[in-house]
Amino acid sequence: MQQGIGGKRCRQHEATIASIRRHPTRLKSGKEALKLRFVGQRMAEKIDDVIKTGNMRRLQYEESTESAIVTKLFMGIYGVGMTTARDWYSRGMRTLDDLSGSHRRIVLTPAQQIGLKYYTDLAERMPRSEAKAIFDAIKAIAIGIDPSLELTIMGSYRRGQETCGDIDILLTRPTIDGRSHSGVLRKLLPKLRAAGVLTEDLSYPSDLDDEEAKYMGLCRLGHEGKMRRIDILTIPYHQRGAALIYFTGDDVFNRSLRLKARHDGYSLNQRGLFTGVTRDPKTKVKLSNGIIIASETEREIFNILKVPWQEPHQRRRAT
């Protein structure tokens, strides 16, 4: 429940930020900001604070407390969310050493143990060149299994950023010859492990033969390379356009596009653009999925939503 609440709060904050960014002129007060959609009283007070002092004193104080610092440290471990991090703090944990060794008083999941073991490597963003070299090695092995496979490196790499937090690979295959990529992960993952590209498994799909599956693990470039996070996702070929949008990001761009779709009476997710979706008028919970009308290319989805085409490198927030 806590994670759901946290996710909802995060989405609300992003909607607020997007609303402020769309404002045509620089805000002069929190009172002016209150007129904007998604801006509440607390956010207006923070805006007033920024305008008057150039910083957020309350936020600076909150982020400097021991509990905030330790919680942030623990959340840097793969598989650890805010609820778990705060629980560990409440139980006396203060450092990474407190979480390891025979003296520890908590039980870590296998994934958390891996995240703790390679904490330093995983906390560091990798150069774009390293991500490309790992991707090229994986693609070569995959093409050796089936030359018709299509692999695309997603996320921040596709958006053109110079560093990447992890590697996201989208894998699919044209079906014009009556075949698909079903079963390719069953062949690919052992070969990547044997080649030394994959080093640790974090999560295996329940069905390796499913056309829509996700593998999560660690990889590295060469035997001395640093450990890096990697996800390999397989998708049905007819969903590739929607999947390219979804897994390219960034998250603010994606949410804005989904909001536009919803405003126009559609529903957009990683599988496609749907029409005829019905929702409960009170809870807004989806009652029916509707009918898919676009999914094969990114451009057809943009065109139906009447959104000007944006190259992947344009789909990122200003920094």
Side-chain angles (χ1 to χ4, degrees):
M1 177 62 107
Q2 291 296 326
Q3 291 179 345
I5 293 173
K8 182 178 180 180
R9 186 176 296 117
C10 179
R11 291 191 292 273
Q12 289 173 339
H13 285 174
E14 289 178 349
T16 301
I17 292 170
S19 180
I20 293 172
R21 282 181 175 159
R22 287 194 296 267
H23 192 59
T25 60
R26 186 176 183 135
L27 293 172
K28 297 179 181 179
S29 68
K31 184 177 181 180
E32 182 183 2
L34 270 175
K35 299 176 183 178
L36 300 179
R37 190 180 182 190
F38 302 121
V39 176
Q41 185 61 42
R42 290 185 63 186
M43 179 58 71
E45 291 173 359
K46 290 179 180 179
I47 291 172
D48 263 333
D49 196 6
V50 171
I51 292 172
K52 293 175 183 177
T53 67
N55 56 51
M56 287 188 285
R57 291 166 295 186
R58 182 190 303 173
L59 182 60
Q60 287 180 327
Y61 169 74
E62 291 174 351
E63 291 183 343
S64 66
T65 62
E66 181 189 64
S67 62
I69 293 171
V70 174
T71 297
K72 184 176 181 180
L73 174 72
F74 291 164
M75 288 178 65
I77 301 171
Y78 177 82
V80 177
M82 183 173 290
T83 300
T84 298
R86 286 176 172 173
D87 175 61
W88 289 352
Y89 179 82
S90 70
R91 297 166 67 179
M93 305 295 104
R94 295 295 182 270
T95 69
L96 296 179
D97 287 340
D98 291 340
L99 304 176
S100 61
S102 59
H103 64 283
R104 68 173 184 243
R105 300 190 298 276
I106 60 173
V107 177
L108 278 69
T109 66
Q112 290 168 352
Q113 292 177 29
I114 293 172
L116 178 60
K117 182 178 180 180
Y118 300 112
Y119 186 94
T120 301
D121 281 3
L122 298 179
E124 178 185 305
R125 293 180 67 84
M126 78 188 87
R128 181 179 179 84
S129 57
E130 181 181 347
K132 183 180 186 303
I134 294 174
F135 171 72
D136 288 344
I138 293 172
K139 184 175 181 179
I141 293 173
I143 296 301
I145 297 173
D146 182 347
S148 295
L149 291 175
E150 293 185 3
L151 289 84
T152 308
I153 185 167
M154 307 299 292
S156 54
Y157 184 94
R158 190 168 187 248
R159 296 197 304 273
Q161 294 182 209
E162 290 304 312
T163 61
C164 307
D166 57 11
I167 298 174
D168 297 311
I169 296 176
L170 208 60
L171 185 156
T172 189
R173 185 191 189 282
T175 57
I176 191 170
D177 60 358
R179 299 171 57 196
S180 74
H181 58 273
S182 176
V184 71
L185 278 184
R186 187 178 297 279
K187 301 175 182 178
L188 178 61
L189 296 179
K191 287 181 178 294
L192 294 179
R193 175 72 87 156
V197 179
L198 293 184
T199 58
E200 301 280 355
D201 303 321
L202 294 172
S203 175
Y204 254 80
S206 57
D207 184 356
L208 284 169
D209 297 325
D210 198 332
E211 288 189 10
E212 190 173 351
K214 181 177 183 179
Y215 166 83
M216 304 166 69
L218 301 188
C219 64
R220 65 182 175 187
L221 181 62
H223 294 296
E224 302 300 323
K226 294 183 178 181
M227 297 295 179
R228 306 300 193 185
R229 274 277 297 110
I230 183 169
D231 292 346
I232 302 177
L233 306 101
T234 65
I235 59 159
Y237 191 67
H238 68 273
Q239 295 178 1
R240 64 192 184 281
L244 283 170
I245 292 175
Y246 185 88
F247 293 108
T248 295
D250 67 8
D251 52 354
V252 171
F253 175 83
N254 281 355
R255 288 196 175 103
S256 297
L257 205 59
R258 289 200 297 270
L259 282 172
K260 175 67 166 61
R262 188 166 178 175
H263 179 270
D264 292 350
Y266 302 109
S267 177
L268 176 65
N269 59 32
Q270 71 270 28
R271 296 181 177 87
L273 183 66
F274 296 79
T275 188
V277 176
T278 57
R279 300 177 185 275
D280 184 288
K282 293 184 178 180
T283 66
K284 303 304 180 182
V285 172
K286 189 183 293 184
L287 301 176
S288 69
N289 292 326
I291 301 171
I292 193 166
I293 58 171
S295 63
E296 294 191 7
T297 71
E298 295 174 282
R299 286 186 182 274
E300 66 174 338
I301 293 174
F302 275 70
N303 289 340
I304 291 173
L305 295 178
K306 296 181 175 57
V307 173
W309 172 253
Q310 295 187 49
E311 295 291 343
H313 71 269
Q314 297 174 302
R315 306 174 199 177
R316 60 188 187 191
R317 71 198 78 181
T319 57

